[in-house]
Amino acid sequence: MRSVRKSTRPWTSGSSGIVPVWQGSSAHARENLGPLQRDRLARVLMRMSKLFLRTLREDPADAEVASHRLLVRAGYIRRTAPGIYSWLPLGLKVLAKVEAIVREEMDATGAQEVHFPALLPREPYEATGRWTEYGPNLFRLQDRKEADYLLAPTHEEMFTLLVKDLYSSYKELPLTLYQIQTKYRDESRPRAGLIRGREFIMKDAYSFDIDEAGLAASYDAQRAAYERIFTRLGLDYVIVSAMSGAMGGSRSEEFLFPCEIGEDTFVRSPGGYAANVEAVHTPSPEPVEAAVVAGLPAAYVADTPDTPTIESLVDVANATQAKPDGVLWTSADTLKNVVVTLVSPAGARDLLVIGLPGDRQVDAKRLEAAVFPAEVEQATAKDLATHPELVAGYIGPSVLGPNGAPRGSDGTDSAQGAVRYLLDPRVVDGTAWITGANESGKHVFGLVAGRDFTADGVIDVAEVRVGDPAPDGSGPLELARGIEIGHIFALGQKFAKALDLKVLDQNGKAVTVTMGSYGIGVTRALAAIAEKTCDDKGLSWPVQVAPAHVHVLAAGKDEAVLTTAEGLAAQLAAAGVEVLYDDRVKVSAGVKFADAELLGLPFALVVGRGLADGVVEVRTRASGDREELAPDAAVARLRELLAAASA
RNA sequence: CGGGGUGUGGCGCAGCUUGGUAGCGCAUUGCGUUUGGGACGCAAGGGUCGCAGGUUCAAAUCCUGUCACCCCGACCA
């Protein structure tokens, strides 16, 4: 959000992004410093006694996942409304550092930063159809004149229009623009704290090229930048093929952080193929040889009373029909025909029947992705009534797709024709099936695909299972879950066409610009880092995004302890190390230790009882390592550890 | 949208079955004692018990309605 950026920017130079919290008993020390030193110190020393922070001893009742629980407990964020969070000083520092890394890498690709409003008028989104296409997930509102506005869920339209406003020649391309902006989506069920919110911060970038080759280059540049960004953030990622879905376009990949609590399921093969489960391409088996097909027995209809389900059908088949090879029938021998209703964006309802092996379910997500922009609904009794040839529980191919006689040819029926019929890729020509005979209580046995029936095409929407063959032929697929932290799209011309973004080419001819769009969930990535690095004691930030580098603890009330801690904190700050100094006097050592572990700065410097023996302690949060050393050696040692951790 | 659950000081919860005018822990304030692993004593502040209606002499508690939130699923760049 703008206010976030504004509040940090004056103090942001390079990647530090530190807000001043220089107050308290040592303020007088400032007076002896020059302006440059003063500024530098102000950026790197925070006092716990003055910090706006309250840590919670108990987990908040509404938080389930670790990142959510700990970010709230450690006083980094507060819930404001469902899926909407406020940022407190420490959280804001982490956010600023994550943003700074994203910004640096975007700038390094030559992308230029701009900033749009989050509150936008309806018209541009009307032009691209997204005012309606986005559905209830779009936050809509009206001004006092009852004009429609929206809180932007993403900004393709605005970037496209801005470029249209100002550019008109191929000479000015390629161009990539980006922003770091608050986005709004009215999720029906926000969850997991920052991971799925209704307000979140996203970096969105858009490339503008004259042709496909240019787009490919821009896409690759962004893809490479994403790899650098997530590496710098310390996040593992898997790049998976994705469906472009609502965004349209050709090529699309997601960056997933593999994680149990992730909401995206993806597959991996031993050979390196990776895809979102929605985008998995199921390889078709080889067609059965003609000679083999020729030898197959003719199909025949048999009575199978009371077999509305695949399970009951298999039981009856085994009881009444011998399988040619003598083995028992299984659900995989059946061809299940599932009826769904597709609703087009214009509202037209059409039935679709999907034929797939009886041991497979239709995966709703894959189906949605495959038929986009149509919506999938369960077929209602009214829908089914438009096609009386469909007998629930006994639907078979002979009345479907190209096999079904077009209805209405005699003028008595206005229906268009046979119900569209699409087959799972596993149902290749020459395979034989038990399937519905379109008559209650009857199934047909040995119906051969290609010989006895055909379909309108193939649809790859069956559930994907662990162990399914990978499309790259390298072996069985494995399934895993992940958090989507980035998504890149080769959009093509969808938005440029809708909004008429054209430039003149070398020949003075107007050509439509080709676009890409590239998003990173900034707040979601922050949560993913927390999720990955935390433990049962609290957060544990990597140096590059930690709110500060070293947590200095004064663990004792002796004058010597306080003076030494104070002095070391100041020395560290002067050496450019960002310090959080726990100078609270009435707080016991145990509380300070627990808070330090909860807050999760990468290193702690403990000044306490060891001081009597001439030592202080340096702790590494992530590993739990502790070492004792002379106070004089502490600053150098910490700088060494920081350098090693930043490398 | 379907299923489950919860609304009681800032946070976490008990009390509700069996109605009698609100309690515990943490946090906060003051004083004192403590100080290397979430201390102790004494004192103090803070709550229209989600909201509305009803039953009753009396409602956090019973009844009706309603709203909100959380979790699982569905859905979702």
Side-chain angles (χ1 to χ4, degrees), chain A residues 366-419:
Chain A
R366 303 192 72 207
L367 176 57
E368 290 275 356
V371 301
F372 186 88
E375 303 257 318
V376 180
E377 287 184 17
Q378 213 155 25
T380 62
K382 205 174 156 193
D383 294 330
L384 288 170
T386 63
H387 286 278
E389 74 275 22
L390 301 180
V391 183
Y394 300 90
I395 296 171
S398 63
V399 299
L400 303 169
N403 314 292
R407 300 164 63 232
S409 49
D410 59 358
T412 59
D413 192 330
S414 61
Q416 290 299 305
V419 178

Side-chain angles (χ1 to χ4, degrees), chain A residues 281-347:
Chain A
H281 170 71
T282 302
S284 290
E286 289 297 313
V288 180
E289 284 174 38
V292 177
V293 176
L296 289 173
Y300 64 97
V301 174
D303 284 327
T304 52
D306 302 321
T307 53
T309 66
I310 294 293
E311 293 71 33
S312 54
L313 172 61
V314 170
D315 291 343
V316 170
N318 278 319
T320 62
Q321 309 293 326
K323 196 176 173 189
D325 60 10
V327 191
L328 287 180
W329 301 104
T330 70
S331 56
D333 296 312
T334 67
L335 178 63
K336 175 162 67 178
N337 296 300
V338 178
V339 187
V340 296
T341 298
L342 299 187
V343 183
S344 74

Side-chain angles (χ1 to χ4, degrees), chain A residues 344-504:
Chain A
S344 74
R349 299 175 73 87
D350 268 311
L351 287 185
L352 168 68
V353 175
I354 299 161
L356 71 167
D359 61 333
R360 297 264 169 183
Q361 303 292 327
V362 171
D363 183 314
K365 281 190 176 186
R366 303 192 72 207
L367 176 57
E368 290 275 356
V371 301
F372 186 88
E375 303 257 318
V376 180
E377 287 184 17
Q378 213 155 25
T380 62
K382 205 174 156 193
D383 294 330
L384 288 170
T386 63
H387 286 278
E389 74 275 22
L390 301 180
V391 183
Y394 300 90
I395 296 171
S398 63
V399 299
L400 303 169
N403 314 292
R407 300 164 63 232
S409 49
D410 59 358
T412 59
D413 192 330
S414 61
Q416 290 299 305
V419 178
R420 210 154 92 91
Y421 187 42
L422 299 174
L423 288 173
D424 184 85
R426 296 169 187 82
V427 187
V428 291
D429 283 358
T431 50
W433 304 90
I434 308 175
T435 189
N438 301 302
E439 201 176 326
S440 186
K442 290 185 192 299
H443 279 86
V444 55
F445 285 69
L447 200 71
V448 174
R451 184 190 74 181
D452 301 327
F453 68 96
T454 55
D456 296 302
V458 172
I459 189 166
D460 188 8
V461 295
E463 56 173 331
V464 176
R465 291 187 199 147
V466 174
D468 282 350
D472 64 356
S474 68
L477 288 176
E478 75 175 12
L479 281 169
R481 293 173 75 82
I483 298 172
E484 183 185 0
I485 47 179
H487 201 156
I488 54 181
F489 297 91
L491 284 181
Q493 300 185 328
K494 169 173 173 171
F495 290 89
K497 266 186 188 148
L499 298 167
D500 196 33
L501 169 60
K502 289 178 177 168
V503 295
L504 295 181

